[in-house]
Amino acid sequence: METVPPALPPASGSPRFPVRRRLLALVLVLLGFGAGWMAAGLRASLAEKPAAGGRGESRQDLLADGWVESDQGVFTRRCQGNCRRPKVYGGGIADVMEVSCLERPCGEISVTFDVLDGQGQVIETLPLKRQGLQGERLQFVLESDKPEARRFALREFRARARVY
């Protein structure tokens, strides 16, 4: 006796549906490749430009941006560009100093500022301490609440690091 295979049910849906699904998948893959190429081009163009804020990668770049070598391999300047200058209400002054530990770890940074009045007389001494790692850029906030204070003068800067 001969067996007859069961009949298959008729196809439900149009025969074009699988074609649309394949076309959609192809378009999504192409968009993904396009986005990847655009991101790679953006990364390459950013690599050619110096980092934001004038950040230099070498000693010459820092010196050209107004930095001063205050200790061997450690640079300082008054804050420029990417910083928030504090505002003091009710008398006094505030400023920000940047430190760049470009060529070595800063270790313990000790900074002493004199707070000067309008005639250039010292009215207060401001000592600050902080730790710094190699490649790090730090900001020191200088504040004096004395109403007669007019400016800060750097008296001493030391960056001591222990390297084993």
PDB file of all heavy atoms in Angstrom, residues 65-97:
ATOM      1  N   ASP A  65      51.933  78.039  25.362  1.00  0.00           N
ATOM      2  CA  ASP A  65      50.603  78.351  25.899  1.00  0.00           C
ATOM      3  C   ASP A  65      50.663  79.196  27.170  1.00  0.00           C
ATOM      4  O   ASP A  65      49.646  79.389  27.826  1.00  0.00           O
ATOM      5  CB  ASP A  65      49.830  77.063  26.185  1.00  0.00           C
ATOM      6  CG  ASP A  65      49.314  76.405  24.919  1.00  0.00           C
ATOM      7  OD1 ASP A  65      49.250  77.081  23.886  1.00  0.00           O
ATOM      8  OD2 ASP A  65      48.956  75.209  24.977  1.00  0.00           O
ATOM      9  N   GLY A  66      51.845  79.676  27.551  1.00  0.00           N
ATOM     10  CA  GLY A  66      51.960  80.567  28.695  1.00  0.00           C
ATOM     11  C   GLY A  66      52.302  79.892  30.010  1.00  0.00           C
ATOM     12  O   GLY A  66      52.257  80.530  31.065  1.00  0.00           O
ATOM     13  N   TRP A  67      52.684  78.622  29.982  1.00  0.00           N
ATOM     14  CA  TRP A  67      53.079  77.918  31.203  1.00  0.00           C
ATOM     15  C   TRP A  67      54.517  78.298  31.554  1.00  0.00           C
ATOM     16  O   TRP A  67      55.313  78.634  30.692  1.00  0.00           O
ATOM     17  CB  TRP A  67      52.985  76.406  31.004  1.00  0.00           C
ATOM     18  CG  TRP A  67      51.597  75.905  30.850  1.00  0.00           C
ATOM     19  CD1 TRP A  67      50.844  75.893  29.715  1.00  0.00           C
ATOM     20  CD2 TRP A  67      50.771  75.322  31.857  1.00  0.00           C
ATOM     21  NE1 TRP A  67      49.623  75.336  29.962  1.00  0.00           N
ATOM     22  CE2 TRP A  67      49.551  74.981  31.264  1.00  0.00           C
ATOM     23  CE3 TRP A  67      50.954  75.059  33.210  1.00  0.00           C
ATOM     24  CZ2 TRP A  67      48.515  74.387  31.988  1.00  0.00           C
ATOM     25  CZ3 TRP A  67      49.923  74.466  33.922  1.00  0.00           C
ATOM     26  CH2 TRP A  67      48.716  74.138  33.318  1.00  0.00           C
ATOM     27  N   VAL A  68      54.843  78.199  32.844  1.00  0.00           N
ATOM     28  CA  VAL A  68      56.198  78.466  33.341  1.00  0.00           C
ATOM     29  C   VAL A  68      56.658  77.211  34.069  1.00  0.00           C
ATOM     30  O   VAL A  68      55.899  76.621  34.839  1.00  0.00           O
ATOM     31  CB  VAL A  68      56.194  79.664  34.318  1.00  0.00           C
ATOM     32  CG1 VAL A  68      57.558  79.868  34.929  1.00  0.00           C
ATOM     33  CG2 VAL A  68      55.720  80.909  33.612  1.00  0.00           C
ATOM     34  N   GLU A  69      57.905  76.799  33.829  1.00  0.00           N
ATOM     35  CA  GLU A  69      58.429  75.626  34.540  1.00  0.00           C
ATOM     36  C   GLU A  69      58.840  76.079  35.935  1.00  0.00           C
ATOM     37  O   GLU A  69      59.850  76.738  36.128  1.00  0.00           O
ATOM     38  CB  GLU A  69      59.608  75.013  33.787  1.00  0.00           C
ATOM     39  CG  GLU A  69      60.036  73.691  34.377  1.00  0.00           C
ATOM     40  CD  GLU A  69      61.008  72.932  33.490  1.00  0.00           C
ATOM     41  OE1 GLU A  69      61.516  73.509  32.506  1.00  0.00           O
ATOM     42  OE2 GLU A  69      61.253  71.755  33.792  1.00  0.00           O
ATOM     43  N   SER A  70      58.023  75.715  36.938  1.00  0.00           N
ATOM     44  CA  SER A  70      58.270  76.138  38.318  1.00  0.00           C
ATOM     45  C   SER A  70      59.145  75.162  39.075  1.00  0.00           C
ATOM     46  O   SER A  70      59.755  75.514  40.074  1.00  0.00           O
ATOM     47  CB  SER A  70      56.940  76.297  39.050  1.00  0.00           C
ATOM     48  OG  SER A  70      56.190  77.326  38.461  1.00  0.00           O
ATOM     49  N   ASP A  71      59.177  73.935  38.652  1.00  0.00           N
ATOM     50  CA  ASP A  71      60.035  72.904  39.230  1.00  0.00           C
ATOM     51  C   ASP A  71      60.381  71.985  38.066  1.00  0.00           C
ATOM     52  O   ASP A  71      59.685  71.981  37.050  1.00  0.00           O
ATOM     53  CB  ASP A  71      59.291  72.146  40.339  1.00  0.00           C
ATOM     54  CG  ASP A  71      60.235  71.457  41.320  1.00  0.00           C
ATOM     55  OD1 ASP A  71      61.424  71.306  40.997  1.00  0.00           O
ATOM     56  OD2 ASP A  71      59.776  71.061  42.404  1.00  0.00           O
ATOM     57  N   GLN A  72      61.398  71.192  38.180  1.00  0.00           N
ATOM     58  CA  GLN A  72      61.855  70.348  37.079  1.00  0.00           C
ATOM     59  C   GLN A  72      60.716  69.441  36.587  1.00  0.00           C
ATOM     60  O   GLN A  72      60.270  68.548  37.295  1.00  0.00           O
ATOM     61  CB  GLN A  72      63.039  69.510  37.535  1.00  0.00           C
ATOM     62  CG  GLN A  72      63.628  68.684  36.436  1.00  0.00           C
ATOM     63  CD  GLN A  72      64.806  67.863  36.933  1.00  0.00           C
ATOM     64  OE1 GLN A  72      65.151  67.877  38.098  1.00  0.00           O
ATOM     65  NE2 GLN A  72      65.413  67.140  36.021  1.00  0.00           N
ATOM     66  N   GLY A  73      60.233  69.698  35.360  1.00  0.00           N
ATOM     67  CA  GLY A  73      59.181  68.877  34.761  1.00  0.00           C
ATOM     68  C   GLY A  73      57.776  69.213  35.226  1.00  0.00           C
ATOM     69  O   GLY A  73      56.823  68.554  34.822  1.00  0.00           O
ATOM     70  N   VAL A  74      57.617  70.235  36.054  1.00  0.00           N
ATOM     71  CA  VAL A  74      56.312  70.645  36.571  1.00  0.00           C
ATOM     72  C   VAL A  74      56.071  72.094  36.173  1.00  0.00           C
ATOM     73  O   VAL A  74      56.912  72.954  36.423  1.00  0.00           O
ATOM     74  CB  VAL A  74      56.228  70.485  38.107  1.00  0.00           C
ATOM     75  CG1 VAL A  74      54.864  70.903  38.617  1.00  0.00           C
ATOM     76  CG2 VAL A  74      56.531  69.051  38.515  1.00  0.00           C
ATOM     77  N   PHE A  75      54.916  72.360  35.543  1.00  0.00           N
ATOM     78  CA  PHE A  75      54.624  73.670  34.988  1.00  0.00           C
ATOM     79  C   PHE A  75      53.427  74.298  35.692  1.00  0.00           C
ATOM     80  O   PHE A  75      52.519  73.596  36.137  1.00  0.00           O
ATOM     81  CB  PHE A  75      54.335  73.535  33.491  1.00  0.00           C
ATOM     82  CG  PHE A  75      55.501  73.005  32.719  1.00  0.00           C
ATOM     83  CD1 PHE A  75      55.737  71.641  32.635  1.00  0.00           C
ATOM     84  CD2 PHE A  75      56.373  73.868  32.080  1.00  0.00           C
ATOM     85  CE1 PHE A  75      56.820  71.149  31.926  1.00  0.00           C
ATOM     86  CE2 PHE A  75      57.457  73.382  31.364  1.00  0.00           C
ATOM     87  CZ  PHE A  75      57.689  72.022  31.292  1.00  0.00           C
ATOM     88  N   THR A  76      53.429  75.649  35.765  1.00  0.00           N
ATOM     89  CA  THR A  76      52.338  76.371  36.415  1.00  0.00           C
ATOM     90  C   THR A  76      51.934  77.575  35.574  1.00  0.00           C
ATOM     91  O   THR A  76      52.714  78.070  34.753  1.00  0.00           O
ATOM     92  CB  THR A  76      52.747  76.890  37.816  1.00  0.00           C
ATOM     93  OG1 THR A  76      53.860  77.770  37.676  1.00  0.00           O
ATOM     94  CG2 THR A  76      53.103  75.757  38.751  1.00  0.00           C
ATOM     95  N   ARG A  77      50.710  78.052  35.804  1.00  0.00           N
ATOM     96  CA  ARG A  77      50.222  79.298  35.223  1.00  0.00           C
ATOM     97  C   ARG A  77      48.907  79.678  35.897  1.00  0.00           C
ATOM     98  O   ARG A  77      48.272  78.844  36.547  1.00  0.00           O
ATOM     99  CB  ARG A  77      50.011  79.201  33.716  1.00  0.00           C
ATOM    100  CG  ARG A  77      48.799  78.367  33.317  1.00  0.00           C
ATOM    101  CD  ARG A  77      48.575  78.421  31.832  1.00  0.00           C
ATOM    102  NE  ARG A  77      47.437  77.577  31.477  1.00  0.00           N
ATOM    103  CZ  ARG A  77      47.023  77.360  30.258  1.00  0.00           C
ATOM    104  NH1 ARG A  77      47.659  77.917  29.254  1.00  0.00           N
ATOM    105  NH2 ARG A  77      45.991  76.593  30.013  1.00  0.00           N
ATOM    106  N   ARG A  78      48.516  80.933  35.745  1.00  0.00           N
ATOM    107  CA  ARG A  78      47.186  81.337  36.168  1.00  0.00           C
ATOM    108  C   ARG A  78      46.199  80.656  35.242  1.00  0.00           C
ATOM    109  O   ARG A  78      46.458  80.501  34.051  1.00  0.00           O
ATOM    110  CB  ARG A  78      47.026  82.845  36.071  1.00  0.00           C
ATOM    111  CG  ARG A  78      47.778  83.566  37.161  1.00  0.00           C
ATOM    112  CD  ARG A  78      47.502  85.023  37.149  1.00  0.00           C
ATOM    113  NE  ARG A  78      46.089  85.271  37.435  1.00  0.00           N
ATOM    114  CZ  ARG A  78      45.517  86.443  37.328  1.00  0.00           C
ATOM    115  NH1 ARG A  78      46.204  87.472  36.942  1.00  0.00           N
ATOM    116  NH2 ARG A  78      44.253  86.592  37.607  1.00  0.00           N
ATOM    117  N   CYS A  79      45.085  80.257  35.763  1.00  0.00           N
ATOM    118  CA  CYS A  79      44.117  79.473  34.995  1.00  0.00           C
ATOM    119  C   CYS A  79      43.615  80.251  33.784  1.00  0.00           C
ATOM    120  O   CYS A  79      43.277  81.430  33.883  1.00  0.00           O
ATOM    121  CB  CYS A  79      42.953  79.075  35.892  1.00  0.00           C
ATOM    122  SG  CYS A  79      41.949  77.795  35.142  1.00  0.00           S
ATOM    123  N   GLN A  80      43.601  79.559  32.643  1.00  0.00           N
ATOM    124  CA  GLN A  80      43.115  80.123  31.383  1.00  0.00           C
ATOM    125  C   GLN A  80      42.243  79.090  30.710  1.00  0.00           C
ATOM    126  O   GLN A  80      42.486  77.903  30.820  1.00  0.00           O
ATOM    127  CB  GLN A  80      44.282  80.473  30.468  1.00  0.00           C
ATOM    128  CG  GLN A  80      45.243  81.461  31.067  1.00  0.00           C
ATOM    129  CD  GLN A  80      46.500  81.595  30.228  1.00  0.00           C
ATOM    130  OE1 GLN A  80      46.604  81.041  29.143  1.00  0.00           O
ATOM    131  NE2 GLN A  80      47.462  82.327  30.738  1.00  0.00           N
ATOM    132  N   GLY A  81      41.248  79.523  30.005  1.00  0.00           N
ATOM    133  CA  GLY A  81      40.438  78.585  29.232  1.00  0.00           C
ATOM    134  C   GLY A  81      39.468  77.780  30.068  1.00  0.00           C
ATOM    135  O   GLY A  81      38.455  78.294  30.522  1.00  0.00           O
ATOM    136  N   ASN A  82      39.794  76.530  30.310  1.00  0.00           N
ATOM    137  CA  ASN A  82      38.866  75.585  30.931  1.00  0.00           C
ATOM    138  C   ASN A  82      38.917  75.661  32.455  1.00  0.00           C
ATOM    139  O   ASN A  82      39.419  74.759  33.117  1.00  0.00           O
ATOM    140  CB  ASN A  82      39.196  74.163  30.470  1.00  0.00           C
ATOM    141  CG  ASN A  82      38.134  73.186  30.888  1.00  0.00           C
ATOM    142  OD1 ASN A  82      37.029  73.574  31.254  1.00  0.00           O
ATOM    143  ND2 ASN A  82      38.466  71.908  30.842  1.00  0.00           N
ATOM    144  N   CYS A  83      38.408  76.745  33.019  1.00  0.00           N
ATOM    145  CA  CYS A  83      38.355  76.851  34.473  1.00  0.00           C
ATOM    146  C   CYS A  83      37.217  77.777  34.872  1.00  0.00           C
ATOM    147  O   CYS A  83      36.772  78.597  34.088  1.00  0.00           O
ATOM    148  CB  CYS A  83      39.676  77.347  35.059  1.00  0.00           C
ATOM    149  SG  CYS A  83      40.098  79.035  34.603  1.00  0.00           S
ATOM    150  N   ARG A  84      36.784  77.608  36.065  1.00  0.00           N
ATOM    151  CA  ARG A  84      35.768  78.488  36.631  1.00  0.00           C
ATOM    152  C   ARG A  84      36.432  79.418  37.615  1.00  0.00           C
ATOM    153  O   ARG A  84      36.914  78.975  38.647  1.00  0.00           O
ATOM    154  CB  ARG A  84      34.726  77.669  37.388  1.00  0.00           C
ATOM    155  CG  ARG A  84      33.685  77.113  36.540  1.00  0.00           C
ATOM    156  CD  ARG A  84      32.592  76.601  37.437  1.00  0.00           C
ATOM    157  NE  ARG A  84      31.551  76.103  36.577  1.00  0.00           N
ATOM    158  CZ  ARG A  84      30.480  75.537  37.008  1.00  0.00           C
ATOM    159  NH1 ARG A  84      30.295  75.365  38.284  1.00  0.00           N
ATOM    160  NH2 ARG A  84      29.574  75.111  36.166  1.00  0.00           N
ATOM    161  N   ARG A  85      36.429  80.660  37.296  1.00  0.00           N
ATOM    162  CA  ARG A  85      36.988  81.633  38.226  1.00  0.00           C
ATOM    163  C   ARG A  85      35.952  81.906  39.309  1.00  0.00           C
ATOM    164  O   ARG A  85      34.823  82.278  39.004  1.00  0.00           O
ATOM    165  CB  ARG A  85      37.354  82.915  37.509  1.00  0.00           C
ATOM    166  CG  ARG A  85      38.500  82.716  36.552  1.00  0.00           C
ATOM    167  CD  ARG A  85      39.091  84.056  36.173  1.00  0.00           C
ATOM    168  NE  ARG A  85      40.128  83.860  35.185  1.00  0.00           N
ATOM    169  CZ  ARG A  85      41.389  83.598  35.491  1.00  0.00           C
ATOM    170  NH1 ARG A  85      41.751  83.504  36.734  1.00  0.00           N
ATOM    171  NH2 ARG A  85      42.284  83.426  34.552  1.00  0.00           N
ATOM    172  N   PRO A  86      36.344  81.725  40.561  1.00  0.00           N
ATOM    173  CA  PRO A  86      35.385  81.977  41.640  1.00  0.00           C
ATOM    174  C   PRO A  86      35.097  83.465  41.786  1.00  0.00           C
ATOM    175  O   PRO A  86      35.935  84.307  41.468  1.00  0.00           O
ATOM    176  CB  PRO A  86      36.089  81.436  42.885  1.00  0.00           C
ATOM    177  CG  PRO A  86      37.501  81.246  42.513  1.00  0.00           C
ATOM    178  CD  PRO A  86      37.609  81.226  41.028  1.00  0.00           C
ATOM    179  N   LYS A  87      33.891  83.768  42.232  1.00  0.00           N
ATOM    180  CA  LYS A  87      33.506  85.150  42.517  1.00  0.00           C
ATOM    181  C   LYS A  87      33.340  85.281  44.018  1.00  0.00           C
ATOM    182  O   LYS A  87      32.760  84.419  44.662  1.00  0.00           O
ATOM    183  CB  LYS A  87      32.197  85.497  41.826  1.00  0.00           C
ATOM    184  CG  LYS A  87      32.313  85.517  40.324  1.00  0.00           C
ATOM    185  CD  LYS A  87      31.011  85.880  39.676  1.00  0.00           C
ATOM    186  CE  LYS A  87      31.163  85.824  38.172  1.00  0.00           C
ATOM    187  NZ  LYS A  87      29.918  86.084  37.479  1.00  0.00           N
ATOM    188  N   VAL A  88      33.846  86.364  44.563  1.00  0.00           N
ATOM    189  CA  VAL A  88      33.761  86.604  46.000  1.00  0.00           C
ATOM    190  C   VAL A  88      32.834  87.794  46.223  1.00  0.00           C
ATOM    191  O   VAL A  88      33.053  88.868  45.649  1.00  0.00           O
ATOM    192  CB  VAL A  88      35.153  86.880  46.603  1.00  0.00           C
ATOM    193  CG1 VAL A  88      35.052  87.134  48.089  1.00  0.00           C
ATOM    194  CG2 VAL A  88      36.084  85.710  46.335  1.00  0.00           C
ATOM    195  N   TYR A  89      31.821  87.595  47.022  1.00  0.00           N
ATOM    196  CA  TYR A  89      30.898  88.674  47.352  1.00  0.00           C
ATOM    197  C   TYR A  89      31.168  89.133  48.779  1.00  0.00           C
ATOM    198  O   TYR A  89      31.403  88.325  49.657  1.00  0.00           O
ATOM    199  CB  TYR A  89      29.450  88.199  47.216  1.00  0.00           C
ATOM    200  CG  TYR A  89      29.108  87.828  45.802  1.00  0.00           C
ATOM    201  CD1 TYR A  89      29.140  86.501  45.375  1.00  0.00           C
ATOM    202  CD2 TYR A  89      28.777  88.806  44.871  1.00  0.00           C
ATOM    203  CE1 TYR A  89      28.832  86.161  44.069  1.00  0.00           C
ATOM    204  CE2 TYR A  89      28.478  88.480  43.565  1.00  0.00           C
ATOM    205  CZ  TYR A  89      28.506  87.157  43.165  1.00  0.00           C
ATOM    206  OH  TYR A  89      28.209  86.831  41.875  1.00  0.00           O
ATOM    207  N   GLY A  90      31.153  90.425  49.021  1.00  0.00           N
ATOM    208  CA  GLY A  90      31.357  90.950  50.358  1.00  0.00           C
ATOM    209  C   GLY A  90      32.796  91.305  50.657  1.00  0.00           C
ATOM    210  O   GLY A  90      33.165  91.483  51.808  1.00  0.00           O
ATOM    211  N   GLY A  91      33.646  91.409  49.661  1.00  0.00           N
ATOM    212  CA  GLY A  91      35.036  91.786  49.876  1.00  0.00           C
ATOM    213  C   GLY A  91      35.970  90.602  49.763  1.00  0.00           C
ATOM    214  O   GLY A  91      35.619  89.473  50.050  1.00  0.00           O
ATOM    215  N   GLY A  92      37.175  90.862  49.306  1.00  0.00           N
ATOM    216  CA  GLY A  92      38.174  89.812  49.139  1.00  0.00           C
ATOM    217  C   GLY A  92      38.401  89.506  47.670  1.00  0.00           C
ATOM    218  O   GLY A  92      37.806  90.118  46.787  1.00  0.00           O
ATOM    219  N   ILE A  93      39.283  88.557  47.405  1.00  0.00           N
ATOM    220  CA  ILE A  93      39.602  88.166  46.031  1.00  0.00           C
ATOM    221  C   ILE A  93      39.725  86.654  45.939  1.00  0.00           C
ATOM    222  O   ILE A  93      39.887  85.961  46.945  1.00  0.00           O
ATOM    223  CB  ILE A  93      40.922  88.811  45.538  1.00  0.00           C
ATOM    224  CG1 ILE A  93      42.099  88.409  46.427  1.00  0.00           C
ATOM    225  CG2 ILE A  93      40.781  90.307  45.425  1.00  0.00           C
ATOM    226  CD1 ILE A  93      43.456  88.820  45.878  1.00  0.00           C
ATOM    227  N   ALA A  94      39.644  86.149  44.718  1.00  0.00           N
ATOM    228  CA  ALA A  94      39.824  84.724  44.453  1.00  0.00           C
ATOM    229  C   ALA A  94      40.429  84.561  43.066  1.00  0.00           C
ATOM    230  O   ALA A  94      40.205  85.386  42.181  1.00  0.00           O
ATOM    231  CB  ALA A  94      38.498  83.986  44.544  1.00  0.00           C
ATOM    232  N   ASP A  95      41.216  83.518  42.886  1.00  0.00           N
ATOM    233  CA  ASP A  95      41.846  83.224  41.598  1.00  0.00           C
ATOM    234  C   ASP A  95      42.102  81.720  41.540  1.00  0.00           C
ATOM    235  O   ASP A  95      41.927  81.014  42.532  1.00  0.00           O
ATOM    236  CB  ASP A  95      43.154  84.002  41.448  1.00  0.00           C
ATOM    237  CG  ASP A  95      43.547  84.199  39.989  1.00  0.00           C
ATOM    238  OD1 ASP A  95      42.877  83.628  39.096  1.00  0.00           O
ATOM    239  OD2 ASP A  95      44.519  84.920  39.741  1.00  0.00           O
ATOM    240  N   VAL A  96      42.526  81.244  40.379  1.00  0.00           N
ATOM    241  CA  VAL A  96      42.812  79.817  40.192  1.00  0.00           C
ATOM    242  C   VAL A  96      44.186  79.683  39.542  1.00  0.00           C
ATOM    243  O   VAL A  96      44.507  80.389  38.591  1.00  0.00           O
ATOM    244  CB  VAL A  96      41.745  79.138  39.306  1.00  0.00           C
ATOM    245  CG1 VAL A  96      42.053  77.670  39.097  1.00  0.00           C
ATOM    246  CG2 VAL A  96      40.356  79.302  39.904  1.00  0.00           C
ATOM    247  N   MET A  97      45.000  78.759  40.064  1.00  0.00           N
ATOM    248  CA  MET A  97      46.321  78.462  39.517  1.00  0.00           C
ATOM    249  C   MET A  97      46.293  77.025  39.007  1.00  0.00           C
ATOM    250  O   MET A  97      45.772  76.134  39.674  1.00  0.00           O
ATOM    251  CB  MET A  97      47.379  78.593  40.603  1.00  0.00           C
ATOM    252  CG  MET A  97      48.758  78.217  40.151  1.00  0.00           C
ATOM    253  SD  MET A  97      49.890  78.334  41.549  1.00  0.00           S
ATOM    254  CE  MET A  97      51.013  77.039  41.151  1.00  0.00           C
TER     255      MET A  97
END
